[in-house]
Amino acid sequence: MASIYLYPVWVRLWHLINALLFLILIITGLSLQYSNEHFNLIRFDVAVSMHNIAGILLSVNYLVVFFGNMFTKNGMYYRMRRRWLVKEIPVQAKYYLFGIFRGEKAPFPINSRRKFNPLQKVSYFAVLYFLMPLIFITGWALIFPNVLFIDKIFGTSSLHFTDLVHIIVGFILSIFMFVHIYLCTIGKPRSAHFRAMLSGWHHSEH
Ligand code: HEM
Protein backbone atom coordinates (compact mmCIF):
# COMPACT_ATOMS: atom_id res chain seq x y z
CA MET A 1 0.00 0.00 0.00
CA ALA A 2 1.45 3.40 -1.06
CA SER A 3 0.96 6.54 1.03
CA ILE A 4 1.06 10.07 -0.37
CA TYR A 5 1.03 13.26 1.70
CA LEU A 6 -1.64 15.33 -0.09
CA TYR A 7 -3.17 17.69 2.47
CA PRO A 8 -0.66 19.96 4.24
CA VAL A 9 -1.63 21.36 7.65
CA TRP A 10 -2.72 24.73 6.27
CA VAL A 11 -5.13 23.08 3.78
CA ARG A 12 -6.62 20.95 6.57
CA LEU A 13 -7.04 23.91 8.92
CA TRP A 14 -8.51 26.12 6.19
CA HIS A 15 -10.89 23.34 5.17
CA LEU A 16 -12.04 22.55 8.73
CA ILE A 17 -12.73 26.21 9.57
CA ASN A 18 -14.36 26.69 6.16
CA ALA A 19 -16.68 23.68 6.63
CA LEU A 20 -17.72 24.73 10.17
CA LEU A 21 -18.42 28.32 9.11
CA PHE A 22 -20.33 27.05 6.09
CA LEU A 23 -22.60 24.99 8.33
CA ILE A 24 -23.29 28.05 10.52
CA LEU A 25 -23.96 30.16 7.42
CA ILE A 26 -26.34 27.61 5.91
CA ILE A 27 -28.36 27.22 9.14
CA THR A 28 -28.53 30.97 9.89
CA GLY A 29 -29.08 31.77 6.20
CA LEU A 30 -32.05 29.38 5.97
CA SER A 31 -33.41 30.77 9.23
CA LEU A 32 -33.25 34.33 7.82
CA GLN A 33 -34.72 33.29 4.48
CA TYR A 34 -37.76 31.52 5.93
CA SER A 35 -38.47 33.58 9.04
CA ASN A 36 -41.79 35.40 9.39
CA GLU A 37 -43.78 37.02 12.24
CA HIS A 38 -45.03 33.59 13.39
CA PHE A 39 -41.86 31.52 13.06
CA ASN A 40 -38.12 31.98 13.60
CA LEU A 41 -35.75 29.03 13.69
CA ILE A 42 -33.20 31.37 15.32
CA ARG A 43 -34.27 34.80 16.66
CA PHE A 44 -33.97 37.18 13.66
CA ASP A 45 -31.45 39.66 15.13
CA VAL A 46 -29.31 36.81 16.54
CA ALA A 47 -29.35 35.03 13.15
CA VAL A 48 -28.30 38.30 11.40
CA SER A 49 -25.32 38.80 13.77
CA MET A 50 -24.23 35.15 13.57
CA HIS A 51 -24.53 35.17 9.76
CA ASN A 52 -22.54 38.42 9.43
CA ILE A 53 -19.76 37.31 11.80
CA ALA A 54 -19.46 33.86 10.18
CA GLY A 55 -19.42 35.48 6.72
CA ILE A 56 -16.65 37.92 7.70
CA LEU A 57 -14.60 35.08 9.22
CA LEU A 58 -15.18 32.95 6.11
CA SER A 59 -13.83 35.67 3.84
CA VAL A 60 -10.78 36.19 6.07
CA ASN A 61 -10.19 32.41 6.11
CA TYR A 62 -10.50 32.41 2.31
CA LEU A 63 -7.27 34.43 2.10
CA VAL A 64 -5.46 31.32 3.44
CA VAL A 65 -6.52 29.14 0.50
CA PHE A 66 -6.21 31.96 -2.04
CA PHE A 67 -2.60 32.81 -1.15
CA GLY A 68 -1.76 29.21 -0.19
CA ASN A 69 -2.72 28.01 -3.67
CA MET A 70 -0.90 30.95 -5.23
CA PHE A 71 2.41 30.43 -3.41
CA THR A 72 2.62 26.68 -2.63
CA LYS A 73 2.56 23.59 -4.81
CA ASN A 74 -1.05 22.92 -3.79
CA GLY A 75 -2.09 25.34 -6.58
CA MET A 76 -0.67 22.90 -9.15
CA TYR A 77 -3.54 20.46 -8.46
CA TYR A 78 -6.08 23.03 -9.69
CA ARG A 79 -4.47 23.72 -13.07
CA MET A 80 -6.52 22.76 -16.14
CA ARG A 81 -6.22 22.61 -19.92
CA ARG A 82 -9.20 23.09 -22.25
CA ARG A 83 -8.39 19.95 -24.30
CA TRP A 84 -8.28 18.09 -21.05
CA LEU A 85 -11.69 19.37 -19.94
CA VAL A 86 -13.44 18.28 -23.13
CA LYS A 87 -11.93 14.80 -23.12
CA GLU A 88 -11.65 13.84 -19.48
CA ILE A 89 -14.79 15.25 -17.86
CA PRO A 90 -17.19 12.95 -19.78
CA VAL A 91 -15.03 9.94 -18.83
CA GLN A 92 -15.25 10.82 -15.12
CA ALA A 93 -18.99 11.61 -15.38
CA LYS A 94 -19.61 8.22 -17.03
CA TYR A 95 -17.72 6.56 -14.20
CA TYR A 96 -19.80 8.35 -11.53
CA LEU A 97 -23.06 7.50 -13.37
CA PHE A 98 -22.39 3.88 -14.40
CA GLY A 99 -18.85 2.52 -13.89
CA ILE A 100 -18.87 2.91 -10.15
CA PHE A 101 -22.00 0.73 -9.84
CA ARG A 102 -20.38 -1.98 -11.99
CA GLY A 103 -17.30 -2.05 -9.75
CA GLU A 104 -15.01 -0.56 -12.45
CA LYS A 105 -11.71 1.07 -11.49
CA ALA A 106 -11.59 4.88 -11.16
CA PRO A 107 -10.37 6.33 -14.51
CA PHE A 108 -8.17 8.98 -12.83
CA PRO A 109 -6.72 7.47 -9.66
CA ILE A 110 -4.97 9.70 -7.13
CA ASN A 111 -1.18 10.00 -7.35
CA SER A 112 1.39 12.56 -6.20
CA ARG A 113 0.77 14.75 -9.29
CA ARG A 114 -3.01 14.30 -9.45
CA LYS A 115 -4.95 14.91 -6.24
CA PHE A 116 -8.31 15.57 -7.95
CA ASN A 117 -10.23 13.81 -10.71
CA PRO A 118 -11.39 16.12 -13.58
CA LEU A 119 -14.85 16.78 -12.09
CA GLN A 120 -13.40 17.55 -8.66
CA LYS A 121 -10.89 19.89 -10.26
CA VAL A 122 -13.52 21.84 -12.20
CA SER A 123 -15.98 22.03 -9.31
CA TYR A 124 -13.37 23.00 -6.69
CA PHE A 125 -11.98 25.61 -9.08
CA ALA A 126 -15.45 27.08 -9.76
CA VAL A 127 -16.30 27.10 -6.05
CA LEU A 128 -13.00 28.67 -4.94
CA TYR A 129 -12.47 31.20 -7.71
CA PHE A 130 -15.97 32.10 -8.86
CA LEU A 131 -18.78 31.25 -6.42
CA MET A 132 -16.97 32.06 -3.16
CA PRO A 133 -15.75 35.50 -4.36
CA LEU A 134 -19.28 36.19 -5.63
CA ILE A 135 -20.85 35.36 -2.28
CA PHE A 136 -18.24 37.45 -0.40
CA ILE A 137 -18.66 40.50 -2.64
CA THR A 138 -22.47 40.40 -2.41
CA GLY A 139 -22.32 39.61 1.33
CA TRP A 140 -20.02 42.56 2.11
CA ALA A 141 -22.19 44.81 -0.09
CA LEU A 142 -25.25 43.78 1.95
CA ILE A 143 -23.45 44.58 5.22
CA PHE A 144 -22.36 47.97 3.83
CA PRO A 145 -25.19 48.89 1.40
CA ASN A 146 -23.91 52.47 1.04
CA VAL A 147 -20.99 51.23 -1.02
CA LEU A 148 -23.42 50.08 -3.74
CA PHE A 149 -22.63 52.87 -6.14
CA ILE A 150 -25.25 51.86 -8.73
CA ASP A 151 -28.83 52.72 -7.76
CA LYS A 152 -30.71 50.48 -10.15
CA ILE A 153 -29.72 47.41 -12.11
CA PHE A 154 -31.93 45.63 -14.67
CA GLY A 155 -34.75 47.98 -13.63
CA THR A 156 -34.73 46.80 -10.02
CA SER A 157 -33.03 48.24 -6.91
CA SER A 158 -29.36 47.22 -6.84
CA LEU A 159 -29.75 46.17 -3.20
CA HIS A 160 -32.51 43.77 -4.19
CA PHE A 161 -30.42 42.44 -7.07
CA THR A 162 -27.37 41.96 -4.81
CA ASP A 163 -29.53 40.10 -2.30
CA LEU A 164 -30.93 37.87 -5.05
CA VAL A 165 -27.45 36.96 -6.34
CA HIS A 166 -26.29 36.31 -2.74
CA ILE A 167 -29.20 33.95 -2.07
CA ILE A 168 -28.91 32.07 -5.39
CA VAL A 169 -25.15 31.55 -4.91
CA GLY A 170 -25.82 30.51 -1.29
CA PHE A 171 -28.21 27.79 -2.46
CA ILE A 172 -25.77 26.60 -5.16
CA LEU A 173 -22.92 26.40 -2.60
CA SER A 174 -25.16 24.55 -0.12
CA ILE A 175 -26.02 21.98 -2.80
CA PHE A 176 -22.31 21.76 -3.69
CA MET A 177 -21.47 21.00 -0.06
CA PHE A 178 -23.90 18.09 0.22
CA VAL A 179 -22.91 16.60 -3.17
CA HIS A 180 -19.25 17.11 -2.16
CA ILE A 181 -19.73 15.20 1.09
CA TYR A 182 -21.56 12.39 -0.75
CA LEU A 183 -18.80 12.10 -3.37
CA CYS A 184 -16.16 12.05 -0.61
CA THR A 185 -17.75 8.80 0.61
CA ILE A 186 -16.69 7.16 -2.68
CA GLY A 187 -13.43 5.73 -1.46
CA LYS A 188 -12.09 2.40 -0.32
CA PRO A 189 -12.95 2.15 2.53
CA ARG A 190 -15.78 4.75 2.55
CA SER A 191 -13.96 6.78 5.22
CA ALA A 192 -10.68 6.97 3.19
CA HIS A 193 -11.07 10.57 1.94
CA PHE A 194 -12.27 11.87 5.31
CA ARG A 195 -9.31 10.25 7.05
CA ALA A 196 -6.95 11.73 4.44
CA MET A 197 -8.40 15.19 5.13
CA LEU A 198 -7.76 14.66 8.86
CA SER A 199 -4.25 13.14 8.73
CA GLY A 200 -2.96 14.63 5.48
CA TRP A 201 -2.05 11.16 4.14
CA HIS A 202 -3.83 9.38 1.33
CA HIS A 203 -3.33 5.59 1.29
CA SER A 204 -3.77 3.86 -2.07
CA GLU A 205 -3.82 0.16 -2.89
CA HIS A 206 -1.26 0.44 -5.71
C1 HEM B 1 -18.88 19.21 6.59
C2 HEM B 1 -18.51 19.69 5.41
C3 HEM B 1 -17.40 19.10 4.54
C4 HEM B 1 -16.82 17.86 4.55
C5 HEM B 1 -17.14 16.66 5.45
C6 HEM B 1 -15.79 17.87 3.51
C7 HEM B 1 -14.96 16.80 3.19
C8 HEM B 1 -13.86 16.88 2.37
C9 HEM B 1 -12.91 15.81 2.16
C10 HEM B 1 -12.99 14.44 2.80
C11 HEM B 1 -11.98 16.25 1.29
C12 HEM B 1 -10.77 15.45 0.76
C13 HEM B 1 -11.11 14.72 -0.48
C14 HEM B 1 -10.93 15.59 -1.69
O1 HEM B 1 -9.85 16.16 -1.86
O2 HEM B 1 -11.90 15.73 -2.44
C15 HEM B 1 -12.30 17.62 0.93
C16 HEM B 1 -11.57 18.45 0.09
C17 HEM B 1 -11.94 19.71 -0.29
N1 HEM B 1 -13.10 20.37 0.09
FE1 HEM B 1 -14.46 19.72 1.47
N2 HEM B 1 -15.77 19.10 2.90
C18 HEM B 1 -16.75 19.88 3.50
C19 HEM B 1 -17.08 21.18 3.18
C20 HEM B 1 -16.48 21.89 2.16
C21 HEM B 1 -16.90 23.21 1.74
C22 HEM B 1 -18.06 23.99 2.35
C23 HEM B 1 -16.07 23.59 0.72
C24 HEM B 1 -16.04 24.86 -0.09
C25 HEM B 1 -16.99 25.70 -0.17
C26 HEM B 1 -15.12 22.51 0.51
C27 HEM B 1 -14.12 22.54 -0.43
C28 HEM B 1 -13.13 21.58 -0.54
C29 HEM B 1 -11.95 21.72 -1.38
C30 HEM B 1 -11.61 22.93 -2.27
C31 HEM B 1 -11.19 20.56 -1.19
C32 HEM B 1 -9.82 20.28 -1.79
C33 HEM B 1 -8.77 21.00 -0.92
C34 HEM B 1 -7.33 20.78 -1.39
O3 HEM B 1 -6.82 19.69 -1.15
O4 HEM B 1 -6.76 21.70 -2.03
N3 HEM B 1 -15.41 21.50 1.39
N4 HEM B 1 -13.47 17.97 1.60
Side-chain angles (χ1 to χ4, degrees):
M1 186 183 282
S3 298
I4 322 166
Y5 188 63
L6 284 182
Y7 304 96
V9 178
W10 70 264
V11 170
R12 286 180 273 152
L13 275 177
W14 161 76
H15 185 265
L16 181 67
I17 296 169
N18 187 66
L20 292 176
L21 291 172
F22 242 80
L23 286 173
I24 297 173
L25 284 160
I26 291 176
I27 295 166
T28 52
L30 285 174
S31 174
L32 291 172
Q33 175 79 5
Y34 295 108
S35 73
N36 56 46
E37 63 269 34
H38 309 295
F39 175 75
N40 272 329
L41 180 64
I42 303 168
R43 214 179 70 200
F44 196 82
D45 55 330
V46 176
V48 171
S49 304
M50 284 175 74
H51 198 79
N52 287 353
I53 294 169
I56 291 168
L57 292 175
L58 190 85
S59 31
V60 173
N61 189 45
Y62 176 78
L63 298 176
V64 174
V65 76
F66 185 82
F67 288 111
N69 279 350
M70 193 181 271
F71 294 117
T72 75
K73 82 171 195 142
N74 200 58
M76 147 188 121
Y77 298 114
Y78 290 82
R79 256 168 241 150
M80 286 174 266
R81 293 206 197 101
R82 201 174 322 148
R83 179 176 54 90
W84 184 95
L85 288 179
V86 178
K87 277 195 186 157
E88 298 188 351
I89 285 187
V91 177
Q92 182 64 35
K94 209 170 133 210
Y95 172 71
Y96 274 153
L97 289 173
F98 308 107
I100 205 164
F101 301 108
R102 295 190 198 123
E104 285 172 18
K105 281 197 169 161
F108 303 99
I110 294 175
N111 58 42
S112 59
R113 307 214 47 208
R114 181 175 52 217
K115 174 154 63 165
F116 307 131
N117 68 48
L119 274 178
Q120 275 176 314
K121 207 184 257 203
V122 171
S123 55
Y124 291 166
F125 187 89
V127 164
L128 288 184
Y129 298 109
F130 179 65
L131 294 173
M132 288 188 76
L134 203 53
I135 210 155
F136 297 145
I137 293 167
T138 51
W140 280 94
L142 290 170
I143 297 182
F144 299 107
N146 296 340
V147 300
L148 290 173
F149 44 89
I150 314 167
D151 228 23
K152 281 195 173 281
I153 194 161
F154 301 132
T156 177
S157 117
S158 65
L159 189 63
H160 184 239
F161 181 77
T162 310
D163 188 35
L164 197 66
V165 174
H166 190 75
I167 290 169
I168 291 172
V169 177
F171 272 106
I172 297 173
L173 281 172
S174 310
I175 294 167
F176 159 80
M177 187 168 122
F178 290 107
V179 175
H180 171 56
I181 296 174
Y182 164 67
L183 291 178
C184 285
T185 63
I186 300 173
K188 281 187 193 142
R190 289 212 173 274
S191 59
H193 293 303
F194 299 100
R195 284 203 221 164
M197 204 20 134
L198 287 175
S199 69
W201 289 91
H202 169 83
H203 305 290
S204 73
E205 280 152 21
H206 12 256

